[in-house]
């Protein structure tokens, strides 16, 4: 992984949004800050690709995915066996990139 993270490091674009699925739970991180409706469409596209849409619906009974969207800034990306990890930071921190985390 390069010192500078790019949108492509987050995976293939779905509805123009690069996102990766968290390995250990229901959750996603997208490169950039996005309008909620488009972000949910990208997540829906991904879960249909993976064949887990029904499981996600069952998991989210009584809640809305939009209630779990957090726009943040991240830096200090490190490669892991599952992809990468990072630290949250303030906007304006050197090397920081915008990320959107969805973690129900």
């Amino acid at each position: 992984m390069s010192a500078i993270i790019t949108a492509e490091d987050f995976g293939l674009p779905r509805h123009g949004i690069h996102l990766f699925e968290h390995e250990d739970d229901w959750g996603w991180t997208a490169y950039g800050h996005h309008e909620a409706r488009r972000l949910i469409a990208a997540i829906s596209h991904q879960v249909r690709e993976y064949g887990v849409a029904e499981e996600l619906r069952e998991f989210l009974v009584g809640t809305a995915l939009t209630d779990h969207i957090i726009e943040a800034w991240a830096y200090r990306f490190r490669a892991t066996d599952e992809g990468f990890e990072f630290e949250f930071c303030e906007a304006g921190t050197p090397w920081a990139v915008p990320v959107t985390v969805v973690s129900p």
Side-chain angles (χ1 to χ4, degrees), residues 7-88:
E8 289 74 25
D9 293 318
F10 281 68
L12 296 173
R14 291 165 179 89
H15 296 276
I17 297 175
H18 294 264
L19 78 150
F20 73 89
E21 180 179 12
H22 302 171
E23 291 291 324
D24 56 352
D25 61 6
W26 287 110
W28 302 265
T29 301
Y31 186 88
H33 296 156
H34 305 281
E35 187 261 324
R37 185 177 180 151
R38 214 168 109 225
L39 181 61
I40 300 303
I43 291 169
S44 295
H45 184 128
Q46 187 183 59
V47 299
R48 284 192 313 273
E49 278 181 9
Y50 295 164
V52 294
E54 184 60 34
E55 290 92 336
L56 179 60
R57 275 193 292 279
E58 290 173 8
F59 179 76
L60 291 173
V61 169
T63 187
L65 211 50
T66 54
D67 294 339
H68 304 280
I69 296 173
I70 300 166
E71 290 184 344
W73 291 84
Y75 73 142
R76 295 187 177 163
F77 288 83
R78 294 171 296 284
T80 66
D81 291 340
E82 292 83 32
F84 56 87
E85 57 187 30
F86 55 85
E87 295 177 34
F88 290 108

